[in-house]
Amino acid sequence: MPIRLATTADFPAISAIYAFARTQMAKDNNPTQWGKSHPPLDLLKADITAKHLYVIEEAGNIGGVFAFILGEDPTYQQIDGAWLNDQPYGTIHRIAGNGKIKGTFSKALAFCEQLEPNIRIDTHQNNKRMQHLLEKNGFTYCGIILTEEQAPRLAYQK
């Protein structure tokens, strides 16, 4: 399953994936993490320009999307807890799948680990599906961080 940098031509597929993910989050008792409009289009455009946004393809169709950002994440500088280490890291953000391909998270993680094996990620306390995936894929819970909007998130590292 190829993973490649996203382009603006991918916006229709990416938008559909995020809409599906928001619906699934709401069904899973997590309606506020992404609300009705996250991630915003301007953020996705910035991710594409910065070469941070990737898509996962299967049989020529986009089935998953995620951002992988190398370097310090400003929201991770303060943690109520402790990171596993202070080494350089990459952060996975905005990961979602269309529900049609299996293993979106595992595929994205394997790709990211090739670029940087020290990985951090965060999720909402109500996002039980993501918490399960993180634990299943070897992440360690490290504590609580605050988003730019000052919303608490569970922080993990692998």
Side-chain angles (χ1 to χ4, degrees), residues 3 10 38 41 50 57-58 64 67 98 103-105 119 123 125 138 156:
I3 295 178
D10 298 323
H38 191 79
L41 187 59
E57 292 183 315
E58 181 177 73
N98 65 3
T104 299
F105 183 84
I119 298 177
T123 193
Q125 67 182 6
Y156 292 80

Side-chain angles (χ1 to χ4, degrees), residues 72 84-90 116 118 120 157:
E72 299 244 346
L84 298 179
N85 61 54
D86 292 326
Q87 302 301 311
Y89 62 90
E116 172 55 66
N118 193 21
R120 295 180 183 180
Q157 186 173 4

Side-chain angles (χ1 to χ4, degrees), residues 21 24-25 28-31 33-34 95 122-134 153-154 156:
Q24 288 304 114
M25 287 175 149
D28 288 347
N29 196 32
N30 183 25
Q33 182 175 354
W34 283 0
I95 186 164
D122 65 85
T123 193
H124 193 280
Q125 67 182 6
N126 291 339
N127 196 337
K128 303 300 183 195
R129 184 184 305 245
M130 180 57 72
Q131 292 170 45
H132 169 75
L133 288 171
L134 293 170
R153 294 290 185 262
L154 306 177
Y156 292 80

Side-chain angles (χ1 to χ4, degrees), residues 23 29 70 90 150:
T23 299
N29 196 32
L70 296 170
Q150 300 302 300

Side-chain angles (χ1 to χ4, degrees), residues 88-104:
Y89 62 90
T91 306
I92 298 173
H93 284 298
R94 299 176 280 289
I95 186 164
N98 65 3
K100 297 176 183 172
I101 63 170
K102 299 292 183 198
T104 299

Side-chain angles (χ1 to χ4, degrees), residues 1 17 31 43 50 62 75 92 100 107 117-118 120 134 140 143 157:
M1 201 168 294
I17 289 169
L43 179 59
I62 296 172
T75 62
I92 298 173
K100 297 176 183 172
K107 289 171 179 58
N118 193 21
R120 295 180 183 180
L134 293 170
T140 300
Q157 186 173 4

Side-chain angles (χ1 to χ4, degrees), residues 9-18 55 61-63 65 98:
D10 298 323
F11 275 138
I14 290 170
S15 295
I17 289 169
Y18 284 127
V55 293
N61 296 311
I62 296 172
V65 60
N98 65 3

